[in-house]
Amino acid sequence: GEGSRKYRRTVYNHDLWVKHRSPDRFFSNLRTLVNSGIYKQVGKEVAATVGVASFVCLWNALVGGYQGFDGTMHDPIIHNAFFQVVGL
């Protein structure tokens, strides 16, 4: 938690500074993302939000149609008055 943060201060020497400023740090940070404390604390909430938003987008494309990247409107795949478009 936050109480132990004062014991985790990083003191940089030259080697650590070079590693910190490495051009490959982006990929290194992505590899260690799932081990971060922030990810562990909010991972479930983010996954739930992404899941609901993805479902709503897919549902709306199925029952309400969608616009392609070229601007063409495509008809809905499911044609039924019972199924309606969902708003967020």
Side-chain angles (χ1 to χ4, degrees):
E2 289 296 318
S4 66
R5 181 175 294 281
K6 60 185 172 184
Y7 302 112
R8 290 185 277 143
R9 301 258 184 230
T10 302
V11 178
Y12 283 102
N13 59 22
H14 178 70
D15 294 333
L16 287 175
W17 181 253
V18 169
K19 180 182 173 187
H20 173 71
R21 298 301 300 166
S22 168
D24 298 328
R25 69 184 181 269
F26 177 74
F27 299 109
S28 174
N29 290 340
L30 283 179
R31 279 194 308 269
T32 61
L33 180 68
V34 295
N35 298 326
S36 75
I38 293 173
Y39 178 80
K40 290 178 182 177
Q41 291 177 0
V42 298
K44 291 178 185 175
E45 290 86 352
V46 170
T49 303
V50 168
V52 169
S54 298
F55 173 76
V56 168
C57 287
L58 180 63
W59 178 262
N60 287 343
L62 289 174
V63 300
Y66 63 95
Q67 183 176 5
F69 290 118
D70 59 352
T72 305
M73 279 302 294
H74 298 277
D75 292 332
I77 296 172
I78 300 173
H79 297 281
N80 191 329
F82 180 72
F83 299 118
Q84 298 293 318
V85 174
V86 177
L88 289 177

